[in-house]
Amino acid sequence: MTHALPHSEPCALVTETLAAAVAAAREAGQRVTPVTIAGRPAWVKIALEKRLILRLQKGPAPRLLREETAMLRAMAARGLAVPEIIGAGDDWLITSDTGPTLAALLADRPEAPDLPRAFAAAGRALARMHRAGCAHGRPHLRDVCWDTAQGRACFIDLERAASLSAGMSGFTRDLLIFVFAYYSVRPQPGPQPLLDEFGEAYRQAAPAGIWGAAGLRARRWRWLGPLSRPLRWHERRFKPHRRFKEYAAIPLTLRHFDDG
Ligand SMILES: Nc1ncnc2c1ncn2[C@@H]1O[C@H](COP(=O)(O)OP(=O)(O)O)[C@@H](O)[C@H]1O
Ligand SMILES: [Mg+2]
């Protein structure tokens, strides 16, 4: 039997116990599977990486998942916005559902009235993470959830690059990746009220100087803009169906911090 989550994620497998949820996820053969365990929406992540290139790049999947579990625990202990661990084993992890991702919201409900609140919440949550000396490492819009029940943004997918003792380069990298991920979904110049919500909330709550340092870093990479022109042309011409327009996002990201 399947059951739809309150957002546009795939249908969840319904189970009663953690063991049954893990077994069902293994059966589904996916790395990440939505489940409902005794009525509670959750996600099972299995250490499964079929692509050799990613195994070579990132290392063995079970080790990565155990590191992610430890990172979730450490960040939760610091009071940061991460999902609750419902259960974890040697090669599996079950986390509580923390709502739709910002990427899903932008794609499915671009006019949703709570989107500005979700982006502001993401800015505050990232600032809080940085104030605690931690960095997410890759806060793509697919890895930031809008937890409507609690009115907060929540970070998931704390893989390899997450850090409990990050420095300025980790903080600025988080900002650049978030802004880049936004533009790869909305590759348009001009005012971006959602990013403004994010940026204002971040600057109000973050340690001073990080936003400005991200701007300096973006300016140092300016040369990438013209260099990526052929790639942008290729993306427009041959990949119009792609959901994330990453080459188009490069110059927009590099310019974004100019006015902030
Ligand atoms: N706790 C959670 N709450 C809400 N959505 C989740 C959660 N965990 C995973 N997801 C969904 O599953 C997707 C993939 O999970 P993620 O941990 O990011 O794995 P991957 O390493 O494959 O990117 C996320 O982008 C999100 O849509
Ligand atoms: Mg992810």
Side-chain angles (χ1 to χ4, degrees):
M1 188 167 93
T2 58
H3 156 88
L5 284 172
H7 49 81
S8 70
E9 303 292 356
C11 284
L13 301 164
V14 175
T15 67
E16 283 307 315
T17 63
L18 301 192
V22 175
R26 285 196 209 284
E27 177 79 10
Q30 296 159 187
R31 228 166 80 73
V32 183
T33 307
V35 292
T36 301
I37 306 169
R40 184 176 183 197
W43 293 78
V44 185
K45 198 165 182 176
I46 304 277
L48 183 78
E49 186 47 79
K50 294 181 189 148
R51 289 159 298 179
L52 179 63
I53 182 72
L54 288 183
R55 280 215 303 269
L56 291 172
Q57 270 175 9
K58 296 181 167 188
R63 197 195 72 211
L64 284 178
L65 197 61
R66 287 195 295 272
E67 285 170 6
E68 178 171 3
T69 306
M71 189 57 81
L72 277 174
R73 290 209 168 103
M75 291 215 180
R78 286 164 171 74
L80 302 175
V82 291
E84 184 194 331
I85 296 180
I86 296 177
D90 255 5
D91 68 342
W92 57 272
L93 166 67
I94 304 182
T95 53
S96 60
D97 176 51
T98 49
T101 66
L102 296 186
L105 282 177
L106 270 186
D108 306 339
R109 294 169 41 206
E111 303 307 328
D114 56 344
L115 257 180
R117 280 208 300 138
F119 272 76
R124 271 193 305 278
L126 193 63
R128 206 173 318 120
M129 190 174 267
H130 291 172
R131 263 204 332 263
C134 303
H136 181 280
R138 203 201 47 186
H140 198 280
L141 301 191
R142 287 175 302 224
D143 299 322
V144 186
C145 294
W146 170 230
D147 189 342
T148 23
Q150 300 205 36
R152 63 168 194 168
C154 207
F155 291 99
I156 59 169
D157 202 4
L158 292 160
E159 265 194 21
R160 240 172 19 134
S163 166
L164 298 172
S165 54
M168 192 55 106
S169 73
F171 303 146
T172 56
R173 177 182 148 134
D174 275 356
L175 283 178
L176 287 162
I177 289 183
F178 186 92
V179 170
F180 174 74
Y182 171 89
Y183 279 119
S184 70
V185 177
R186 287 203 173 163
Q188 309 139 3
Q192 302 298 331
L194 293 177
L195 269 190
D196 293 343
E197 293 281 346
F198 167 81
E200 266 161 43
Y202 178 85
R203 286 195 298 269
Q204 264 179 29
I210 301 179
W211 190 269
L216 279 178
R217 196 166 171 185
R219 278 193 282 286
R220 280 204 300 277
W221 287 346
R222 269 289 169 75
W223 52 270
L224 259 179
L227 213 66
S228 63
R229 197 170 293 140
L231 297 169
R232 296 202 296 277
W233 174 82
H234 185 266
E235 189 171 62
R236 273 198 312 276
R237 177 87 174 74
F238 297 109
K239 312 269 180 192
H241 51 277
R242 279 191 66 203
R243 191 162 153 209
F244 298 104
K245 307 276 190 280
E246 288 171 341
Y247 295 123
I250 292 174
L252 296 164
T253 303
L254 298 181
R255 276 200 302 270
H256 180 75
F257 293 85
D258 282 358
D259 321 319

